[in-house]
Amino acid sequence: MKAYLLTAVGVIFLTLTVSFIVPEGKLKKSVNFILRLVSICVIIQPVSTIFKFESNDRATVYDYDYVCSVYSQNQSRLVTQKVCDEVGVDCICVVEVIYDGKQIKENGVTVEGNFTDEKTIAVIAEYLEGLGYINITVNEKAA
Protein backbone atom coordinates (compact mmCIF):
# COMPACT_ATOMS: atom_id res chain seq x y z
CA MET A 1 0.00 0.00 0.00
CA LYS A 2 2.87 2.32 0.82
CA ALA A 3 4.41 1.74 -2.61
CA TYR A 4 1.08 2.53 -4.26
CA LEU A 5 0.73 5.83 -2.37
CA LEU A 6 4.29 6.86 -3.23
CA THR A 7 3.69 6.03 -6.89
CA ALA A 8 0.41 7.99 -6.97
CA VAL A 9 1.97 11.04 -5.28
CA GLY A 10 4.98 10.85 -7.62
CA VAL A 11 2.83 10.70 -10.76
CA ILE A 12 0.65 13.61 -9.61
CA PHE A 13 3.73 15.66 -8.72
CA LEU A 14 5.26 14.88 -12.12
CA THR A 15 2.02 15.86 -13.86
CA LEU A 16 1.89 19.22 -12.08
CA THR A 17 5.56 19.93 -12.66
CA VAL A 18 5.40 19.16 -16.39
CA SER A 19 2.21 21.21 -16.80
CA PHE A 20 4.04 24.28 -15.44
CA ILE A 21 7.12 23.73 -17.63
CA VAL A 22 5.45 23.05 -21.02
CA PRO A 23 4.74 26.29 -22.98
CA GLU A 24 1.21 27.37 -23.89
CA GLY A 25 -0.33 26.04 -27.10
CA LYS A 26 -1.50 22.79 -28.67
CA LEU A 27 1.48 20.88 -27.26
CA LYS A 28 0.52 21.81 -23.69
CA LYS A 29 -3.03 20.53 -24.19
CA SER A 30 -1.77 17.19 -25.59
CA VAL A 31 0.85 16.73 -22.85
CA ASN A 32 -1.63 17.62 -20.10
CA PHE A 33 -4.18 15.18 -21.54
CA ILE A 34 -1.68 12.33 -21.60
CA LEU A 35 -0.34 13.08 -18.10
CA ARG A 36 -3.87 13.33 -16.65
CA LEU A 37 -4.74 10.02 -18.30
CA VAL A 38 -1.67 8.39 -16.72
CA SER A 39 -2.58 9.93 -13.36
CA ILE A 40 -6.11 8.55 -13.54
CA CYS A 41 -4.82 5.10 -14.43
CA VAL A 42 -2.45 5.11 -11.47
CA ILE A 43 -5.13 6.35 -9.07
CA ILE A 44 -7.73 3.74 -10.09
CA GLN A 45 -5.23 0.86 -10.08
CA PRO A 46 -6.50 -0.56 -6.73
CA VAL A 47 -10.03 -0.67 -8.14
CA SER A 48 -8.85 -2.85 -11.01
CA THR A 49 -7.66 -5.51 -8.53
CA ILE A 50 -11.27 -6.01 -7.47
CA PHE A 51 -12.11 -7.26 -10.96
CA LYS A 52 -8.98 -9.34 -11.33
CA PHE A 53 -9.70 -12.72 -12.81
CA GLU A 54 -7.78 -15.73 -11.65
CA SER A 55 -6.12 -17.67 -14.43
CA ASN A 56 -6.65 -21.40 -14.43
CA ASP A 57 -2.98 -22.39 -14.66
CA ARG A 58 -3.29 -25.34 -12.33
CA ALA A 59 -1.57 -28.45 -13.52
CA THR A 60 -3.98 -30.77 -15.27
CA VAL A 61 -3.90 -34.33 -14.02
CA TYR A 62 -4.48 -37.11 -16.52
CA ASP A 63 -5.24 -40.72 -15.76
CA TYR A 64 -2.74 -42.23 -18.17
CA ASP A 65 -3.73 -45.79 -17.24
CA TYR A 66 -7.27 -45.10 -18.42
CA VAL A 67 -6.09 -43.32 -21.58
CA CYS A 68 -3.76 -46.22 -22.39
CA SER A 69 -6.57 -48.71 -21.75
CA VAL A 70 -8.98 -46.96 -24.10
CA TYR A 71 -6.30 -46.49 -26.74
CA SER A 72 -5.34 -50.17 -26.41
CA GLN A 73 -8.95 -51.32 -26.84
CA ASN A 74 -9.44 -49.17 -29.96
CA GLN A 75 -6.13 -50.19 -31.52
CA SER A 76 -6.76 -53.86 -30.71
CA ARG A 77 -10.17 -53.73 -32.41
CA LEU A 78 -8.76 -51.97 -35.49
CA VAL A 79 -5.75 -54.31 -35.83
CA THR A 80 -7.94 -57.38 -35.41
CA GLN A 81 -10.20 -56.10 -38.20
CA LYS A 82 -7.22 -55.31 -40.45
CA VAL A 83 -5.64 -58.74 -39.95
CA CYS A 84 -8.97 -60.48 -40.62
CA ASP A 85 -9.59 -58.40 -43.76
CA GLU A 86 -6.08 -58.24 -45.21
CA VAL A 87 -4.58 -61.60 -44.22
CA GLY A 88 -7.83 -63.55 -44.14
CA VAL A 89 -7.19 -65.14 -40.76
CA ASP A 90 -9.73 -65.15 -37.92
CA CYS A 91 -7.86 -64.07 -34.79
CA ILE A 92 -7.87 -61.70 -31.82
CA CYS A 93 -5.19 -59.01 -31.57
CA VAL A 94 -4.33 -57.22 -28.34
CA VAL A 95 -2.20 -54.07 -28.65
CA GLU A 96 -0.31 -53.10 -25.50
CA VAL A 97 -0.17 -49.33 -24.99
CA ILE A 98 1.99 -47.70 -22.32
CA TYR A 99 2.84 -44.22 -21.08
CA ASP A 100 6.60 -43.89 -20.61
CA GLY A 101 6.52 -40.54 -18.81
CA LYS A 102 6.83 -38.53 -22.02
CA GLN A 103 4.47 -40.04 -24.53
CA ILE A 104 1.82 -42.68 -25.04
CA LYS A 105 3.10 -45.39 -27.33
CA GLU A 106 2.40 -48.89 -28.51
CA ASN A 107 4.64 -51.42 -26.78
CA GLY A 108 3.69 -54.59 -28.62
CA VAL A 109 0.93 -56.72 -30.06
CA THR A 110 -0.20 -60.22 -29.20
CA VAL A 111 -2.20 -62.26 -31.72
CA GLU A 112 -4.16 -65.34 -30.73
CA GLY A 113 -6.15 -67.65 -32.97
CA ASN A 114 -6.60 -71.13 -34.42
CA PHE A 115 -3.85 -71.31 -37.02
CA THR A 116 -3.47 -74.18 -39.43
CA ASP A 117 0.31 -74.01 -39.86
CA GLU A 118 3.53 -72.14 -39.12
CA LYS A 119 3.27 -70.27 -42.41
CA THR A 120 0.11 -68.48 -41.22
CA ILE A 121 1.90 -67.35 -38.06
CA ALA A 122 4.81 -66.01 -40.15
CA VAL A 123 2.43 -64.18 -42.52
CA ILE A 124 0.65 -62.49 -39.61
CA ALA A 125 3.94 -61.48 -37.97
CA GLU A 126 5.27 -60.12 -41.27
CA TYR A 127 2.04 -58.18 -41.91
CA LEU A 128 2.15 -56.57 -38.45
CA GLU A 129 5.83 -55.68 -38.89
CA GLY A 130 4.85 -54.00 -42.15
CA LEU A 131 2.32 -51.91 -40.21
CA GLY A 132 5.13 -50.78 -37.89
CA TYR A 133 4.36 -52.84 -34.81
CA ILE A 134 7.15 -54.11 -32.56
CA ASN A 135 7.27 -56.92 -29.99
CA ILE A 136 4.91 -59.14 -31.98
CA THR A 137 3.78 -62.38 -30.35
CA VAL A 138 1.59 -64.84 -32.27
CA ASN A 139 0.10 -67.70 -30.26
CA GLU A 140 -2.18 -70.53 -31.16
CA LYS A 141 -5.34 -70.52 -29.07
CA ALA A 142 -5.47 -73.33 -26.52
CA ALA A 143 -8.21 -75.81 -27.22
Side-chain angles (χ1 to χ4, degrees):
M1 184 69 172
K2 185 177 179 181
Y4 163 72
L5 290 175
L6 288 175
T7 304
V9 169
V11 168
I12 292 171
F13 178 74
L14 183 65
T15 301
L16 290 172
T17 304
V18 171
S19 68
F20 287 127
I21 295 173
V22 175
E24 291 293 327
K26 289 184 179 181
L27 179 64
K28 183 170 185 159
K29 289 180 181 179
S30 299
V31 170
N32 280 339
F33 174 75
I34 292 171
L35 289 174
R36 287 178 185 164
L37 192 62
V38 170
S39 298
I40 290 171
C41 289
V42 169
I43 290 172
I44 65 169
Q45 181 188 8
V47 175
S48 67
T49 59
I50 293 172
F51 301 108
K52 186 175 183 181
F53 295 105
E54 214 176 285
S55 64
N56 195 5
D57 289 339
R58 296 183 190 121
T60 305
V61 179
Y62 296 106
D63 183 2
Y64 288 107
D65 291 334
Y66 176 73
V67 173
C68 289
S69 167
V70 170
Y71 186 56
S72 174
Q73 289 172 3
N74 287 334
Q75 282 297 101
S76 297
R77 183 178 46 80
L78 291 172
V79 170
T80 299
Q81 188 65 41
K82 274 183 105 59
V83 169
C84 289
D85 291 345
E86 300 290 326
V87 180
V89 177
D90 189 30
C91 62
I92 297 174
C93 300
V94 178
V95 178
E96 181 186 0
V97 178
I98 61 168
Y99 176 69
D100 66 358
K102 295 178 185 172
Q103 64 180 354
I104 295 174
K105 62 181 184 178
E106 296 159 347
N107 193 40
V109 61
T110 303
V111 181
E112 194 172 278
N114 293 324
F115 307 119
T116 55
D117 57 3
E118 290 288 323
K119 185 178 178 186
T120 306
I121 293 172
V123 168
I124 292 172
E126 185 178 315
Y127 177 72
L128 292 173
E129 283 177 6
L131 291 177
Y133 286 98
I134 57 170
N135 299 332
I136 301 167
T137 307
V138 182
N139 299 322
E140 186 158 349
K141 196 183 290 185

Short mmCIF file of all heavy atoms in Angstrom, two decimals, residues 24-59:
data_model
loop_
_atom_site.label_atom_id
_atom_site.label_comp_id
_atom_site.label_asym_id
_atom_site.label_seq_id
_atom_site.Cartn_x
_atom_site.Cartn_y
_atom_site.Cartn_z
N GLU A 24 2.60 27.31 -23.46
CA GLU A 24 1.21 27.37 -23.89
C GLU A 24 1.08 26.97 -25.37
O GLU A 24 1.98 27.16 -26.16
CB GLU A 24 0.67 28.81 -23.72
CG GLU A 24 0.51 29.27 -22.28
CD GLU A 24 -0.56 28.52 -21.53
OE1 GLU A 24 -1.58 28.11 -22.14
OE2 GLU A 24 -0.37 28.31 -20.33
N GLY A 25 -0.08 26.39 -25.71
CA GLY A 25 -0.33 26.04 -27.10
C GLY A 25 -0.92 24.63 -27.19
O GLY A 25 -1.36 24.04 -26.21
N LYS A 26 -0.93 24.11 -28.43
CA LYS A 26 -1.50 22.79 -28.67
C LYS A 26 -0.69 21.70 -27.98
O LYS A 26 -1.24 20.71 -27.52
CB LYS A 26 -1.58 22.50 -30.16
CG LYS A 26 -2.62 23.30 -30.89
CD LYS A 26 -2.69 22.90 -32.33
CE LYS A 26 -3.76 23.69 -33.06
NZ LYS A 26 -3.88 23.31 -34.46
N LEU A 27 0.62 21.87 -27.90
CA LEU A 27 1.48 20.88 -27.26
C LEU A 27 1.13 20.73 -25.79
O LEU A 27 1.07 19.62 -25.26
CB LEU A 27 2.95 21.26 -27.42
CG LEU A 27 3.96 20.31 -26.77
CD1 LEU A 27 3.89 18.94 -27.44
CD2 LEU A 27 5.36 20.88 -26.87
N LYS A 28 0.84 21.86 -25.11
CA LYS A 28 0.52 21.81 -23.69
C LYS A 28 -0.78 21.03 -23.46
O LYS A 28 -0.88 20.24 -22.53
CB LYS A 28 0.40 23.21 -23.11
CG LYS A 28 0.14 23.20 -21.62
CD LYS A 28 0.27 24.57 -21.00
CE LYS A 28 0.12 24.41 -19.50
NZ LYS A 28 0.67 25.52 -18.78
N LYS A 29 -1.77 21.25 -24.34
CA LYS A 29 -3.03 20.53 -24.19
C LYS A 29 -2.82 19.01 -24.36
O LYS A 29 -3.37 18.21 -23.61
CB LYS A 29 -4.04 21.03 -25.22
CG LYS A 29 -4.56 22.41 -24.93
CD LYS A 29 -5.56 22.84 -25.99
CE LYS A 29 -6.05 24.24 -25.72
NZ LYS A 29 -7.00 24.69 -26.74
N SER A 30 -2.03 18.63 -25.34
CA SER A 30 -1.77 17.19 -25.59
C SER A 30 -1.00 16.57 -24.43
O SER A 30 -1.33 15.47 -23.96
CB SER A 30 -0.98 17.01 -26.88
OG SER A 30 -1.70 17.50 -27.97
N VAL A 31 0.04 17.26 -23.97
CA VAL A 31 0.85 16.73 -22.85
C VAL A 31 0.01 16.64 -21.59
O VAL A 31 0.06 15.63 -20.87
CB VAL A 31 2.11 17.61 -22.64
CG1 VAL A 31 2.83 17.23 -21.35
CG2 VAL A 31 3.06 17.49 -23.82
N ASN A 32 -0.78 17.65 -21.29
CA ASN A 32 -1.63 17.62 -20.10
C ASN A 32 -2.66 16.48 -20.18
O ASN A 32 -2.93 15.80 -19.19
CB ASN A 32 -2.35 18.96 -19.91
CG ASN A 32 -1.45 20.00 -19.26
OD1 ASN A 32 -0.47 19.64 -18.62
ND2 ASN A 32 -1.78 21.26 -19.46
N PHE A 33 -3.22 16.27 -21.37
CA PHE A 33 -4.18 15.18 -21.54
C PHE A 33 -3.54 13.83 -21.24
O PHE A 33 -4.08 13.01 -20.51
CB PHE A 33 -4.75 15.20 -22.97
CG PHE A 33 -5.64 14.03 -23.26
CD1 PHE A 33 -6.92 13.96 -22.73
CD2 PHE A 33 -5.18 12.97 -24.04
CE1 PHE A 33 -7.74 12.88 -22.99
CE2 PHE A 33 -5.99 11.89 -24.30
CZ PHE A 33 -7.27 11.83 -23.77
N ILE A 34 -2.36 13.60 -21.80
CA ILE A 34 -1.68 12.33 -21.60
C ILE A 34 -1.28 12.15 -20.14
O ILE A 34 -1.49 11.08 -19.54
CB ILE A 34 -0.44 12.22 -22.53
CG1 ILE A 34 -0.91 12.11 -23.98
CG2 ILE A 34 0.44 11.03 -22.15
CD1 ILE A 34 0.19 12.22 -25.00
N LEU A 35 -0.75 13.19 -19.51
CA LEU A 35 -0.34 13.08 -18.10
C LEU A 35 -1.55 12.88 -17.18
O LEU A 35 -1.47 12.13 -16.20
CB LEU A 35 0.45 14.32 -17.69
CG LEU A 35 1.85 14.43 -18.32
CD1 LEU A 35 2.49 15.76 -17.97
CD2 LEU A 35 2.73 13.29 -17.88
N ARG A 36 -2.66 13.54 -17.47
CA ARG A 36 -3.87 13.33 -16.65
C ARG A 36 -4.40 11.91 -16.83
O ARG A 36 -4.86 11.29 -15.87
CB ARG A 36 -4.93 14.35 -17.03
CG ARG A 36 -4.60 15.73 -16.53
CD ARG A 36 -5.62 16.75 -16.94
NE ARG A 36 -5.20 18.08 -16.53
CZ ARG A 36 -5.70 19.19 -17.00
NH1 ARG A 36 -6.66 19.14 -17.91
NH2 ARG A 36 -5.26 20.35 -16.57
N LEU A 37 -4.32 11.39 -18.04
CA LEU A 37 -4.74 10.02 -18.30
C LEU A 37 -3.88 9.03 -17.51
O LEU A 37 -4.40 8.08 -16.89
CB LEU A 37 -4.67 9.72 -19.80
CG LEU A 37 -5.32 8.45 -20.29
CD1 LEU A 37 -6.81 8.47 -20.01
CD2 LEU A 37 -5.07 8.26 -21.77
N VAL A 38 -2.58 9.24 -17.51
CA VAL A 38 -1.67 8.39 -16.72
C VAL A 38 -1.99 8.51 -15.24
O VAL A 38 -2.04 7.51 -14.52
CB VAL A 38 -0.20 8.76 -17.02
CG1 VAL A 38 0.74 8.07 -16.04
CG2 VAL A 38 0.17 8.40 -18.45
N SER A 39 -2.25 9.72 -14.77
CA SER A 39 -2.58 9.93 -13.36
C SER A 39 -3.86 9.19 -12.97
O SER A 39 -3.93 8.54 -11.91
CB SER A 39 -2.76 11.43 -13.06
OG SER A 39 -1.57 12.11 -13.29
N ILE A 40 -4.85 9.25 -13.82
CA ILE A 40 -6.11 8.55 -13.54
C ILE A 40 -5.89 7.05 -13.49
O ILE A 40 -6.41 6.36 -12.61
CB ILE A 40 -7.18 8.94 -14.59
CG1 ILE A 40 -7.61 10.40 -14.38
CG2 ILE A 40 -8.39 8.01 -14.51
CD1 ILE A 40 -8.48 10.94 -15.49
N CYS A 41 -5.10 6.54 -14.43
CA CYS A 41 -4.82 5.10 -14.43
C CYS A 41 -4.11 4.66 -13.16
O CYS A 41 -4.42 3.61 -12.60
CB CYS A 41 -3.98 4.73 -15.65
SG CYS A 41 -4.89 4.83 -17.21
N VAL A 42 -3.17 5.45 -12.70
CA VAL A 42 -2.45 5.11 -11.47
C VAL A 42 -3.38 5.19 -10.26
O VAL A 42 -3.33 4.33 -9.37
CB VAL A 42 -1.22 6.04 -11.29
CG1 VAL A 42 -0.62 5.89 -9.90
CG2 VAL A 42 -0.19 5.73 -12.34
N ILE A 43 -4.24 6.18 -10.23
CA ILE A 43 -5.13 6.35 -9.07
C ILE A 43 -6.17 5.24 -8.99
O ILE A 43 -6.48 4.75 -7.91
CB ILE A 43 -5.81 7.74 -9.13
CG1 ILE A 43 -4.75 8.82 -8.85
CG2 ILE A 43 -6.95 7.84 -8.11
CD1 ILE A 43 -5.24 10.24 -9.07
N ILE A 44 -6.69 4.78 -10.13
CA ILE A 44 -7.73 3.74 -10.09
C ILE A 44 -7.15 2.32 -10.12
O ILE A 44 -7.90 1.35 -10.17
CB ILE A 44 -8.75 3.91 -11.23
CG1 ILE A 44 -8.10 3.71 -12.60
CG2 ILE A 44 -9.46 5.23 -11.12
CD1 ILE A 44 -9.10 3.60 -13.73
N GLN A 45 -5.85 2.18 -10.06
CA GLN A 45 -5.23 0.86 -10.08
C GLN A 45 -5.77 -0.08 -8.99
O GLN A 45 -6.05 -1.24 -9.28
CB GLN A 45 -3.72 0.98 -9.97
CG GLN A 45 -3.02 -0.36 -10.01
CD GLN A 45 -1.54 -0.24 -9.70
OE1 GLN A 45 -1.06 0.81 -9.31
NE2 GLN A 45 -0.83 -1.34 -9.87
N PRO A 46 -5.96 0.37 -7.75
CA PRO A 46 -6.50 -0.56 -6.73
C PRO A 46 -7.91 -1.05 -7.06
O PRO A 46 -8.28 -2.16 -6.70
CB PRO A 46 -6.52 0.26 -5.45
CG PRO A 46 -5.56 1.36 -5.67
CD PRO A 46 -5.56 1.63 -7.14
N VAL A 47 -8.69 -0.25 -7.77
CA VAL A 47 -10.03 -0.67 -8.14
C VAL A 47 -9.97 -1.82 -9.15
O VAL A 47 -10.80 -2.73 -9.12
CB VAL A 47 -10.83 0.53 -8.73
CG1 VAL A 47 -12.19 0.09 -9.23
CG2 VAL A 47 -10.95 1.63 -7.70
N SER A 48 -8.96 -1.79 -10.01
CA SER A 48 -8.85 -2.85 -11.01
C SER A 48 -8.53 -4.21 -10.38
O SER A 48 -8.83 -5.24 -10.97
CB SER A 48 -7.79 -2.49 -12.05
OG SER A 48 -6.51 -2.48 -11.45
N THR A 49 -7.95 -4.23 -9.19
CA THR A 49 -7.66 -5.51 -8.53
C THR A 49 -8.93 -6.18 -8.04
O THR A 49 -8.94 -7.39 -7.83
CB THR A 49 -6.68 -5.33 -7.36
OG1 THR A 49 -7.25 -4.43 -6.41
CG2 THR A 49 -5.33 -4.81 -7.84
N ILE A 50 -9.99 -5.43 -7.87
CA ILE A 50 -11.27 -6.01 -7.47
C ILE A 50 -11.80 -6.92 -8.57
O ILE A 50 -12.36 -7.98 -8.32
CB ILE A 50 -12.30 -4.90 -7.15
CG1 ILE A 50 -11.86 -4.12 -5.92
CG2 ILE A 50 -13.69 -5.49 -6.94
CD1 ILE A 50 -12.70 -2.90 -5.63
N PHE A 51 -11.59 -6.51 -9.82
CA PHE A 51 -12.11 -7.26 -10.96
C PHE A 51 -11.07 -8.20 -11.57
O PHE A 51 -11.21 -8.64 -12.69
CB PHE A 51 -12.59 -6.28 -12.03
CG PHE A 51 -13.67 -5.38 -11.54
CD1 PHE A 51 -13.42 -4.04 -11.30
CD2 PHE A 51 -14.94 -5.88 -11.28
CE1 PHE A 51 -14.41 -3.21 -10.84
CE2 PHE A 51 -15.94 -5.04 -10.82
CZ PHE A 51 -15.67 -3.70 -10.60
N LYS A 52 -10.04 -8.47 -10.83
CA LYS A 52 -8.98 -9.34 -11.33
C LYS A 52 -9.49 -10.77 -11.43
O LYS A 52 -10.04 -11.32 -10.49
CB LYS A 52 -7.77 -9.28 -10.39
CG LYS A 52 -6.57 -10.01 -10.91
CD LYS A 52 -5.40 -9.81 -9.99
CE LYS A 52 -4.17 -10.50 -10.53
NZ LYS A 52 -3.03 -10.33 -9.65
N PHE A 53 -9.28 -11.36 -12.60
CA PHE A 53 -9.70 -12.72 -12.81
C PHE A 53 -8.52 -13.65 -12.60
O PHE A 53 -7.41 -13.38 -13.02
CB PHE A 53 -10.25 -12.90 -14.24
CG PHE A 53 -11.50 -12.12 -14.47
CD1 PHE A 53 -11.48 -10.96 -15.22
CD2 PHE A 53 -12.70 -12.55 -13.93
CE1 PHE A 53 -12.63 -10.24 -15.43
CE2 PHE A 53 -13.86 -11.84 -14.14
CZ PHE A 53 -13.83 -10.68 -14.90
N GLU A 54 -8.81 -14.76 -11.95
CA GLU A 54 -7.78 -15.73 -11.65
C GLU A 54 -7.59 -16.63 -12.87
O GLU A 54 -8.55 -17.18 -13.41
CB GLU A 54 -8.22 -16.58 -10.46
CG GLU A 54 -7.10 -17.00 -9.57
CD GLU A 54 -7.61 -17.75 -8.37
OE1 GLU A 54 -8.17 -17.11 -7.47
OE2 GLU A 54 -7.46 -18.97 -8.35
N SER A 55 -6.37 -16.77 -13.31
CA SER A 55 -6.12 -17.67 -14.43
C SER A 55 -6.12 -19.11 -13.93
O SER A 55 -5.74 -19.39 -12.80
CB SER A 55 -4.80 -17.34 -15.11
OG SER A 55 -3.75 -17.57 -14.22
N ASN A 56 -6.55 -19.99 -14.79
CA ASN A 56 -6.65 -21.40 -14.43
C ASN A 56 -5.39 -22.12 -14.90
O ASN A 56 -5.42 -22.92 -15.82
CB ASN A 56 -7.91 -22.00 -15.05
CG ASN A 56 -8.26 -23.32 -14.42
OD1 ASN A 56 -7.63 -23.75 -13.46
ND2 ASN A 56 -9.27 -23.98 -14.95
N ASP A 57 -4.25 -21.81 -14.27
CA ASP A 57 -2.98 -22.39 -14.66
C ASP A 57 -2.62 -23.62 -13.82
O ASP A 57 -1.47 -24.04 -13.80
CB ASP A 57 -1.85 -21.36 -14.52
CG ASP A 57 -1.97 -20.28 -15.58
OD1 ASP A 57 -2.62 -20.55 -16.60
OD2 ASP A 57 -1.40 -19.20 -15.38
N ARG A 58 -3.58 -24.16 -13.15
CA ARG A 58 -3.29 -25.34 -12.33
C ARG A 58 -2.90 -26.49 -13.23
O ARG A 58 -3.41 -26.64 -14.35
CB ARG A 58 -4.51 -25.72 -11.50
CG ARG A 58 -4.87 -24.64 -10.51
CD ARG A 58 -6.04 -25.10 -9.65
NE ARG A 58 -6.50 -23.98 -8.88
CZ ARG A 58 -7.72 -23.50 -8.93
NH1 ARG A 58 -8.62 -24.06 -9.69
NH2 ARG A 58 -8.05 -22.46 -8.20
N ALA A 59 -2.03 -27.30 -12.73
CA ALA A 59 -1.57 -28.45 -13.52
C ALA A 59 -2.74 -29.41 -13.72
O ALA A 59 -3.46 -29.76 -12.79
CB ALA A 59 -0.44 -29.16 -12.80
#
